[in-house]
Amino acid sequence: MNIANRFNQVFRPQGKLFYGWYIVGAAGGVQFLSAFLWMQSYGAYVVLLQQEFGWSKTLVAGAFAFTRIESGILGPIQGWLVDRYGPRSVLTVGTVLFGIGFMMFSQVDTLLEFYLVFALIALGSSLGGFATVIVALVNWFNRHRAKAVAISQMGYSFGGFCVPLLILCLEAFGWRTTAFYSGILVIILGIPMVQLVRHRPRDYGDRVDGDVADEDAAGDGQTLLSRTGVDFTAGQAMRTASFWLISGGHACALLSVSAVLVHLVPQLTGGLGFSLTTAGLFVAVLTGFQLTGQLLGGVLGDRFNKRLICVLCMFGHAAGLVLLAYATDLWMVLGCTVLHGLAWGIRGPLMVALRADYFGPSSFGTIMGFSSLIVMLGMSGGPVYAGYLADLYGDYQLAFATLALSALAGACCFALARPPELPDES
C-alpha cells in the first residue's frame, strides 16, 4: 500500500476527514494550554515564588502535590460524569475554572491563599483536561487509538517547547501579570476548542475509526466490541490483577515525571548553576524528545506489544534519573533529557491505549477515574519526596537516585500486567 492510500485509510476513510481527528486536534489544544501555562512551567514559578516569599522547596512542591491528590480523588466522580453527560459539558466547566484559577493566582500573598487557589486550578485543569478528552478519543478510535492519543499528546509537548517563551514573560512582566493573562488566554482559546469534542460517534451518525457501516451493524459500540472481544464494567475491571498492576506501574512512572516537572529547573539553576533562561531551554529540549517519543509511541503501540514497550520505557526513566542525580557535566543533563523525554513520550499514549485494549470503551471514563486514585499517589508523591530530601540534604542527588528504583518497580508491574479475561456472567 502506497503512502497516499495509507493516509486516506487512516485519516479519510470515507473520502473526507474523519471527525475523530478534529477531536484529536481539540484534545491537543487543551493539553497545550495546560502544559505551556502550568504543568511544564511550574518549575519556573517555583524559583520565583521562593525568591519572593522564601518558601521552602517542600512547601512549594506540596502545592503541586496537593493538586494531584485532589485530581486523583476527583477521578471516579469525573469519570462517571463524563460517561453519563459526555465530555463537552465537563470540559467547558473545567476550562472556565482553570482560567479563573490563574487570574486568582496572580493575587495571592500568603501560603494558604496559594494552596487554595491551586486547588481551584487543579479542579479546572482536571475537568478541562486530559482525563476528560481521552474518553472521547477511546470512543472514536480503535485500530488507530494509540496514534490518536499520541497525536493529541503532542499538544503537551508543544507546550513544553514554549516554556522558554513563558519564562521570558515571567522575567519581563513578573509572575503576577503573566499568571493573570494566562487565565484570560485559557478562556479565550480553550472554550471554542472544547466545543469540538463529541462523546460517541453513533450519536452523530458516524462510526469508530470512520469505517463504512456494515448493513447488519447495530452501532459503534457493538462493532467495537466485536473487534476487541472485551468490554468490562468498572467493577469487573477492578477485580482483575491487571487493573492494579497497570495503575501501580503508571503511579511509579509518574513519581519520576512529576519530580522532574517540579524540580528540574530548581536543580539546574540551584544545583548546577544555570540561568533560569538556560534551564527553560533544557525543558524545551526534554519536551522535544518527548514529542519524538510520542510519534514513535503512536506507531509502535498500534503494531507491537504495548505492555512490553512500557517495560522498556520504565528502564529509560530509571537511566535518565540516575544521570540527573549525578550530573556534573552538560552531557549528563542532555542524556537525562533524551532518555527521560523519549520514555515519557513513548509510554504516555500507551497508558491509555493499554487500558482501553484490556477493558473496552463502555465504562472507560469510570475505570480511568478509579485508576487515578492510585496513579495520583505517584503524581503527588514525587515532588514532595524530592523537595523534602533536597531541603534535608541540600541537593537532589539522593532523591533522583532513589526515584530511579521506583521506575524499575514500575517496569515489574507492567511486565506482570497480562491481558485479563472477561468474567463469565452465566
Side-chain angles (χ1 to χ4, degrees):
M1 181 181 298
N2 61 41
I3 294 176
N5 288 339
R6 178 60 178 168
F7 177 89
N8 288 331
Q9 185 183 69
V10 174
F11 294 98
R12 298 168 54 87
Q14 297 184 44
K16 63 179 180 179
L17 183 65
F18 174 46
Y19 191 83
W21 295 110
Y22 288 103
I23 300 176
V24 170
V30 166
Q31 293 182 79
F32 170 84
L33 291 175
S34 177
F36 172 44
L37 300 176
W38 184 43
M39 294 291 288
Q40 297 272 38
S41 300
Y42 186 69
Y45 278 107
V46 167
V47 174
L48 297 176
L49 290 169
Q50 283 185 289
Q51 289 176 357
E52 179 165 338
F53 298 109
W55 297 331
S56 70
K57 294 181 177 67
T58 305
L59 286 175
V60 181
F64 186 92
F66 174 69
T67 63
R68 297 302 86 199
I69 292 172
E70 178 191 353
S71 298
I73 294 173
L74 177 69
I77 301 173
Q78 178 181 350
W80 179 83
L81 287 172
V82 176
D83 284 338
R84 177 68 177 82
Y85 297 105
R88 184 190 300 167
S89 299
V90 178
L91 285 167
T92 301
V93 172
T95 301
V96 172
L97 292 177
F98 189 31
I100 291 174
F102 255 111
M103 288 186 275
M104 293 179 65
F105 172 46
S106 70
Q107 305 302 312
V108 302
D109 288 306
T110 68
L111 186 63
L112 177 61
E113 290 174 349
F114 176 57
Y115 271 70
L116 291 176
V117 166
F118 261 67
L120 180 62
I121 290 176
L123 178 63
S125 66
S126 294
L127 294 177
F130 173 77
T132 303
V133 295
I134 214 66
V135 175
L137 295 183
V138 164
N139 278 282
W140 281 77
F141 292 93
N142 178 39
R143 291 195 312 276
H144 308 301
R145 182 178 292 145
K147 283 191 283 291
V149 174
I151 293 172
S152 76
Q153 289 189 336
M154 287 169 61
Y156 191 94
S157 297
F158 283 121
F161 272 131
C162 294
V163 166
L165 175 61
L166 189 96
I167 289 176
L168 289 176
C169 292
L170 290 170
E171 294 183 326
F173 306 111
W175 68 267
R176 293 183 185 275
T177 300
T178 302
F180 182 82
Y181 285 102
S182 293
I184 293 178
L185 191 65
V186 165
I187 293 175
I188 290 177
L189 297 182
I191 295 298
M193 283 193 296
V194 301
Q195 304 314 305
L196 295 173
V197 177
R198 297 175 178 177
H199 194 185
R200 297 184 178 95
R202 70 166 176 262
D203 298 335
Y204 300 90
D206 216 327
R207 298 181 63 79
V208 175
D209 291 319
D211 290 344
V212 179
D214 297 327
E215 292 298 324
D216 59 349
D220 66 289
Q222 289 85 347
T223 303
L224 180 55
L225 179 60
S226 69
R227 290 179 189 153
T228 63
V230 296
D231 208 13
F232 286 68
T233 66
Q236 289 171 335
M238 287 187 287
R239 288 193 291 271
T240 67
S242 294
F243 172 86
W244 300 98
L245 288 166
I246 294 173
S247 299
H250 197 174
C252 288
L254 292 187
L255 272 171
S256 305
V257 167
S258 61
V260 172
L261 273 175
V262 174
H263 295 290
L264 176 62
V265 173
Q267 160 74 334
L268 295 178
T269 56
L272 298 175
F274 293 106
S275 69
L276 187 60
T277 302
T278 302
L281 292 176
F282 276 111
V283 173
V285 172
L286 187 150
T287 52
F289 284 103
Q290 182 194 7
L291 173 61
T292 303
Q294 286 166 341
L295 294 172
L296 290 172
V299 174
L300 296 175
D302 284 332
R303 292 173 177 266
F304 302 105
N305 189 308
K306 298 179 181 69
R307 178 173 59 89
L308 296 182
I309 295 173
C310 289
V311 172
L312 295 175
C313 288
M314 295 306 293
F315 281 102
H317 280 306
L321 285 167
V322 169
L323 285 174
L324 186 60
Y326 297 100
T328 56
D329 297 307
L330 180 65
W331 74 266
M332 297 180 76
V333 179
L334 289 175
C336 168
T337 62
V338 173
L339 291 170
H340 183 73
L342 286 174
W344 186 7
I346 294 171
R347 178 192 51 75
L350 301 187
M351 298 290 89
V352 175
L354 188 63
R355 287 184 179 93
D357 289 350
Y358 278 19
F359 304 118
S362 293
S363 300
F364 185 79
T366 307
I367 291 169
M368 280 292 293
F370 278 103
S371 181
S372 71
L373 290 173
I374 303 164
V375 172
M376 65 94 175
L377 297 175
M379 198 64 177
S380 60
V384 174
Y385 175 77
Y388 174 75
L389 289 184
D391 286 334
L392 188 62
Y393 294 104
D395 61 52
Y396 286 101
Q397 186 175 97
L398 181 61
F400 288 134
T402 50
L403 285 171
L405 297 177
S406 73
L408 296 179
C412 294
C413 289
F414 288 122
L416 295 172
R418 299 186 178 277
E421 293 185 4
L422 187 66
D424 186 359
E425 297 295 335
S426 60

